Amino acid sequence: RSEEVQEVMNRVPPAILRYGIGVLTAIVGVLLVGSALFRYPDSVQVAVTVSTRTPPAYIKCTAGGKLESMYVANGQQVKKGDMLAVMENVASTEDVLLLRMRLSNWLERGARPELLDMIFFHRLPKLGSVQGAYASCLSAWNNYLQHAHENRIHETELNNAVAQLMNLLGEWERSYLPTTPVDGKVAFMQLWKEGQYVDTGETMFVV
């Protein structure tokens, strides 16, 4: 009897075998049809934003006009604060930069009113938009010398005149003297040359 039971257990009914083969064939057919109807691209395009640790700095032209001088070459390494170029204007760039240097030296020496004579020229400088503030500062300095021992009104007047002079110097630099805000390598947005016209707001350099 046990042999008969074992024989029944080992025998696979033909109907189940045919049913299983049919189901398997149907599944394979569905997969083949699906792969033919639904195609997936071999490559997928995605938008990727790559950012560096220090993003590039774009230096734009603040005051449109002609390029007076270039101070750097394309691809040159620069340090923060380096002058890149100067735009044409009515001032003498040499006079403005000399005044800026003298003011910086005066500040380093404690910004003492009695030492302010070190910033003045022994000639008439050509300072453009800064000329009026320079004249006011020189006048305030003379008033301070004449009334230094009377009251502090003239010292206050002198301090205000110096502050105004420094503000206008800063405005001149922002308008006509593009500088780099970061260390890096400067790249020209086009092949700049002296005498070339640059529009206001046009990007001149990337660092």
Side-chain angles (χ1 to χ4, degrees), residues 134-191:
Y134 174 82
S136 296
C137 191
L138 181 58
S139 176
W141 162 248
N142 288 328
N143 289 337
Y144 170 80
L145 290 179
Q146 294 173 14
H147 306 92
H149 303 291
E150 297 177 8
N151 52 57
R152 299 182 63 86
I153 295 177
H154 296 287
E155 183 177 345
T156 301
E157 177 190 0
L158 180 60
N159 289 334
N160 291 338
V162 172
Q164 179 65 10
L165 177 60
M166 296 178 68
N167 286 337
L168 288 180
L169 270 175
E171 289 183 10
W172 183 91
E173 292 174 16
R174 287 187 291 272
S175 297
Y176 303 111
L177 194 67
T179 58
T180 171
V182 295
D183 298 345
K185 182 180 292 185
V186 61
F188 291 6
M189 295 304 291
Q190 58 174 286
L191 187 60

Side-chain angles (χ1 to χ4, degrees), residues 11-23:
R11 183 186 307 165
V12 179
I16 294 178
L17 183 62
R18 288 194 301 272
Y19 178 76
I21 293 175
V23 170

Side-chain angles (χ1 to χ4, degrees), residues 16-101:
I16 294 178
L17 183 62
R18 288 194 301 272
Y19 178 76
I21 293 175
V23 170
L24 182 61
T25 302
I27 292 174
V28 173
V30 169
L31 292 176
L32 292 175
V33 172
S35 63
L37 294 178
F38 303 101
R39 295 184 177 275
Y40 294 91
D42 295 332
S43 61
V44 179
Q45 295 182 353
V46 295
V48 178
T49 301
V50 179
S51 60
T52 59
R53 182 171 299 178
T54 303
Y58 295 86
I59 296 95
K60 296 184 178 182
C61 176
T62 305
K66 292 182 179 180
L67 269 171
E68 182 177 294
S69 299
M70 293 290 300
Y71 296 141
V72 293
N74 192 24
Q76 180 177 329
Q77 289 288 338
V78 292
K79 295 288 187 180
K80 181 179 179 179
D82 283 354
M83 298 179 294
L84 304 178
V86 62
M87 304 301 298
E88 190 176 70
N89 64 99
V90 297
S92 164
T93 303
E94 181 181 355
D95 285 352
V96 174
L97 295 182
L98 182 57
L99 176 60
R100 183 180 71 165
M101 182 188 70

